[in-house]
């Protein structure tokens, strides 16, 4: 990996290193718009054509039937089912902890306000099928959707050339409680879930990772009033370590990210130059025997190590970079937790590999990338609910609040607003007269 | 208002009545793109030109200085300051109740996960200056931004023809703790806050209402990696009442919404036809003396009343319509709270006018419109923070989790993932050897 020394970089060069390209390639936006228009006009027929073009398979029926599900679950070895079950249990447990009931507040006598969660009626999950099969993503989306109580959950996954979909994905869906799976991929899946077709039900919100086409299609979906989790770019990790770190483990953590794809971003930040050298040697060594070495190598070649003067500076750089995953691998890592401001998910200390969160510790792995961790959060139970505010006033509550309400209505020149208060309070007096 | 009877409508006609137009007018998107490109290329100079074109004023300096702030606060009558202070106190109090600390969870022995809030570093608030001056919106955005601890908060508001901005808006900003206000409006304000200029700092997130240009510009901003609160359309209220309701108050509630603008949406849902007739008569009566009667009348003319068979049906229709504001004005309104699934903010019972939430009860008035309440929530403390997940494993925790992690890495063919676990667990053994 390239090595930069922070002290030799200008403010602007540092900022540049933190930039990742957001999605606004006009050609892709235009293509997605066209796909939406076609799916709107011709429904399943258009989806069928795109599936033929992009996935190379002519599918009559996109739906996965019960027998296919059953077969997918049955063919999994016991240890796979157990691994899924461990992950599901931990994901449920952690996401359940996000379900805190807010108590009603009597903000002033007779004025009570509260907020309550309501599951989103219909959610569409997307799981890609690119260079890796990702059943773990099914769990990360399906488990919190079920936990939130979303009544309708459907999943789209691109079909394979033979018209099937990965049994691992189906088994993960089944164990998560999902029963509606469509063999549709790419922008056409997002369009179908946004607009609805003869066979695909339109949804309220679409969540899940995917390539540039899928993510751009999600952006287009928002212009049709469908909500999305986020626009996700390539996966990222930033590792902060000091001289005490074990190069072999640091290299393994970087490679675990790099093997996702050639565009994965891996960044090493440390105050130890010898460590960078040792990690670089380890990278070479480990890459040699890695099955996905070509992807990992391509990723690492365009990644970098940053030599900083202190751990304080390391964490500050990380906050600017706003990585999807942050590994705090320095000595006494826990002490730095409070300084982390911008990151999707943070792995604290030497025994916390990112892989734990990728799969089974319970945290969600659908996280903001491309510096969006500075303004967005990962998928959580919140992603599957609307939070509705309520208020109930008593007559006395309204009376006490009335002067403020009428004054504000007056300064905003909204007489109708004032009347809605005044007419209520004058009602009983009129009756009494 | 037009009257529909639900029993006479087809499923499709009912769905049609719930539709509001989302924002995807290509001409506006193109104009906004052009504004972004110009502001990116020429910074303040471009902003100055747009301000001349759209606001009709040639401004050398967009910034509001301390003296202008001071003057704005000083010139407010005591009762206005008090009304602001009441609103601020209640907004603070209610939004503070949303700040629930989640406790760390030991999902299994030695595997501890938690989630913590971090204030977003830099937020840009937008307050429009169309047919009404809206200091209340400043409070609704500024107070939770301060409460969340956002270190940088700036506000854009369109200048008036004389180059000033409303002292009410400035006073509200000052009392909310905002010190950085720019006299910039429209899409150029959103572009400036997204891209930064010589004088305007780029922000991480943009929040606030505005016309179609501002909202479309916010959509464009997301393609530059800036987060937004929501894409907001015209304001809406849906009022559910039964025969016990007072027509005068129902009409006042409808008018309080309608007076916002000709495109405001007001809907009356009831099981009593005589009530609809009485409300219609009241509307005529009240409109006659309303200062903003032309706007309100235009809004009401394109709005409707829906006669339903029962209160159950009324609430179901409301859930489909997903109104920004819902007034539950029927007898024993509290009983229906649990059935409300899709609404921005709900006003329960006869003493709870929407106006309370517009101004000073403490709930936020920046809410999802255009049926977005089915998949989105209003502005809250959550809108100003990122929620970051953390995890810390012990050696034993990782050991216990390792079989699941390695199995999942194996089925996803990600050997690098498995190694990040294996190398950690083999380390000490090697040392021990």
């Amino acid at each position: 990996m390239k090595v930069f020394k922070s002290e030799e970089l200008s403010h602007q060069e540092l900022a540049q290193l933190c930039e990742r390209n957001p999605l606004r390639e006009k050609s892709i936006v235009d293509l997605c718009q066209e796909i939406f228009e076609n799916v709107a006009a011709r429904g399943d027929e258009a989806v069928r054509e795109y599936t033929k073009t992009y996935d190379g398979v002519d599918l009559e029926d996109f739906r996965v039937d019960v027998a296919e599900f059953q077969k997918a679950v049955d063919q999994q070895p016991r240890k796979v089912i157990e691994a899924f079950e461990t992950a599901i249990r931990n994901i449920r447990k952690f996401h359940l902890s996000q379900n805190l009931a807010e108590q009603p507040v009597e903000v002033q006598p007779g004025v009570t306000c509260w907020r309550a969660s309501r599951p989103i009626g219909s959610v569409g999950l997307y799981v890609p099928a690119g260079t890796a099969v990702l059943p773990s993503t099914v769990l990360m989306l399906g488990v919190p959707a079920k936990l939130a109580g979303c009544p309708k959950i459907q999943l789209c996954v691109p079909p394979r050339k033979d018209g099937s979909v990965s049994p691992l994905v189906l088994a993960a869906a089944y164990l998560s409680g999902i029963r509606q799976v469509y063999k549709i991929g790419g922008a056409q899946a997002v369009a179908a879930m946004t607009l609805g077709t003869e066979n695909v039900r339109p949804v309220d919100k679409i969540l899940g990772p995917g390539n540039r086409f899928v993510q751009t299609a999600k952006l287009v979906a928002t212009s049709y009033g469908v909500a999305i989790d986020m626009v996700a770019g390539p996966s990222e990790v930033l590792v902060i370590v000091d001289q005490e770190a074990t190069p072999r483990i640091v290299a393994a953590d970087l490679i675990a990210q790099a093997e996702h794809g050639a565009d994965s971003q891996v960044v090493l930040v440390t105050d130890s130059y010898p460590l960078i050298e040792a990690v670089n040697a380890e990278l070479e060594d480990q890459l040699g025997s890695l099955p996905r070495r070509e992807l990992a190598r391509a990723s690492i070649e365009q990644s970098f190590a940053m030599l900083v003067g202190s751990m304080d500076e390391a964490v500050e750089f990380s906050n600017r970079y706003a990585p999807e995953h942050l590994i705090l691998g320095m000595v006494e890592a826990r002490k730095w937790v409070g300084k982390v401001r911008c990151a999707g998910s943070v792995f604290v200390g030497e025994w916390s590999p990112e892989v734990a969160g990728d799969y089974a510790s319970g945290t969600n792995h659908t996280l903001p990338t491309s510096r969006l961790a500075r303004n967005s959060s990962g998928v959580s139970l919140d992603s599957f609910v609307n939070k509705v505010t309520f208020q109930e006033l008593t007559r006395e509550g309204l009376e006490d609040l009335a002067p403020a309400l009428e004054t504000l209505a007056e300064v905003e020149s909204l007489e109708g607003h004032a009347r809605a208060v005044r007419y209520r309070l004058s009602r009983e007096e009129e009756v009494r007269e």
Side-chain angles (χ1 to χ4, degrees), chain A:
Chain A
M1 348 169 66
K2 285 182 292 263
V3 182
F4 296 104
K5 297 182 184 173
S6 67
E7 58 178 19
E8 293 172 1
L9 296 173
S10 70
H11 188 82
Q12 198 167 18
E13 284 165 328
L14 268 174
Q16 211 112 52
L17 282 174
C18 293
E19 282 306 320
R20 279 88 88 197
N21 286 334
L23 279 172
R24 49 170 198 276
E25 282 174 66
K26 198 166 162 0
S27 61
I28 298 185
V29 175
D30 289 346
L31 175 62
C32 287
Q33 293 276 14
E34 189 191 307
I35 291 173
F36 270 68
E37 282 158 28
N38 257 320
V39 171
R42 299 191 297 120
D44 281 341
E45 197 190 325
V47 173
R48 205 165 282 124
E49 283 174 16
Y50 287 120
T51 303
K52 218 158 143 182
T53 307
Y54 295 120
D55 302 302
V57 53
D58 195 356
L59 276 184
E60 193 45 48
D61 191 354
F62 302 114
R63 287 167 299 186
V64 171
D65 63 27
V66 182
E68 227 170 329
F69 262 127
Q70 204 53 58
K71 205 177 130 201
V73 176
D74 290 347
Q75 75 182 78
Q76 300 309 323
R78 188 68 221 145
K79 74 166 185 175
V80 172
I81 298 291
E82 279 172 6
F84 282 159
E85 282 171 350
T86 298
I88 290 172
R89 189 197 61 217
N90 288 350
I91 296 167
R92 275 186 65 91
K93 213 161 172 181
F94 178 58
H95 286 71
L96 199 57
S97 78
Q98 297 161 359
N99 184 27
L100 297 178
E102 293 166 18
Q103 294 308 309
V105 191
E106 192 168 10
V107 289
Q108 63 179 62
V111 179
T112 303
C113 302
W114 68 102
R115 192 164 75 139
S117 289
R118 299 287 190 257
I120 293 177
S122 170
V123 295
L125 314 180
Y126 185 85
V127 173
T131 63
V133 171
L134 299 171
S136 59
T137 299
V138 179
L139 310 182
M140 292 294 175
L141 300 171
V143 172
K146 278 308 259 193
L147 197 60
C150 297
K152 290 173 195 155
I153 305 170
Q154 62 194 46
L155 176 73
C156 277
V157 57
R160 301 189 288 198
K161 291 242 183 310
D162 64 358
S164 68
V165 291
S166 156
L168 282 159
V169 164
L170 288 187
Y174 194 85
L175 293 174
S176 307
I178 298 171
R179 295 293 177 270
Q180 195 156 27
V181 178
Y182 296 103
K183 302 169 183 179
I184 312 177
Q188 60 273 23
V190 179
M193 291 198 284
T194 300
L195 303 159
T197 67
E198 297 87 327
N199 275 312
V200 182
R201 194 195 289 275
V203 301
D204 298 320
K205 186 167 184 172
I206 297 174
L207 304 97
N211 62 19
R212 288 176 311 163
F213 296 93
V214 170
Q215 297 305 316
T216 305
K218 281 165 65 182
L219 204 52
V220 172
T222 63
S223 71
Y224 286 84
V226 167
I228 61 171
D229 52 347
M230 65 189 75
V231 176
S235 196
E236 310 159 352
V237 71
L238 189 147
V239 179
I240 302 179
V241 279
D242 54 26
Q243 58 178 11
E244 303 296 318
T246 309
R248 188 177 184 222
I249 291 173
V250 176
D253 284 344
L254 297 173
I255 285 175
Q257 190 60 54
E259 73 174 341
H260 275 293
D263 54 3
S264 291
Q265 310 262 329
V266 309
V267 180
L268 170 62
V269 183
T270 180
D271 57 358
S272 161
Y273 193 78
L275 184 85
I276 294 178
E277 289 181 310
V279 168
N280 259 330
E282 269 291 337
L283 284 172
E284 262 322 300
D285 202 42
Q286 294 180 26
L287 280 172
S289 58
L290 189 78
R292 293 164 67 93
R293 57 183 162 271
E294 262 139 67
L295 292 173
R297 195 183 296 277
S299 157
I300 282 167
E301 270 167 13
Q302 44 100 22
S303 296
F304 64 91
M306 173 72 68
L307 184 70
V308 293
S310 67
M311 285 298 105
D312 260 313
E313 203 196 316
V315 175
E316 246 346 282
F317 178 77
S318 174
N319 282 329
R320 279 182 77 170
Y321 189 87
E324 181 190 15
H325 303 100
L326 169 61
I327 298 182
L328 295 178
M330 71 281 262
V331 168
E332 295 192 274
R334 191 69 184 248
K335 274 175 41 185
W336 299 93
V337 160
K339 305 236 173 190
V340 175
R341 291 194 312 273
C342 303
S345 197
V346 184
F347 301 82
V348 185
E350 58 185 333
W351 299 107
S352 309
E354 185 207 308
V355 178
D358 285 346
Y359 287 140
S361 63
T363 59
N364 209 291
H365 81 196
T366 312
L367 296 164
T369 55
S370 309
R371 229 162 71 78
L372 294 180
R374 75 192 193 284
N375 58 29
S376 319
S377 310
V379 165
S380 69
L381 200 63
D382 300 338
S383 308
F384 297 93
V385 300
N386 301 321
K387 300 205 173 178
V388 183
T389 53
F390 294 85
Q391 62 200 280
E392 187 170 25
L393 281 69
T394 61
R395 185 189 164 96
E396 293 67 32
L398 183 59
E399 269 169 358
D400 287 352
L401 203 56
L405 299 178
E406 292 191 47
T407 299
L408 289 167
E410 190 185 314
V411 301
E412 294 195 349
S413 306
L414 295 171
E415 165 67 11
H417 282 55
R419 288 183 185 173
V421 177
R422 219 181 297 132
Y423 290 178
R424 275 179 169 77
L425 294 176
S426 65
R427 192 180 59 165
E428 306 237 324
E429 286 152 27
E430 281 163 27
V431 173
R432 281 187 212 126
E433 277 164 13

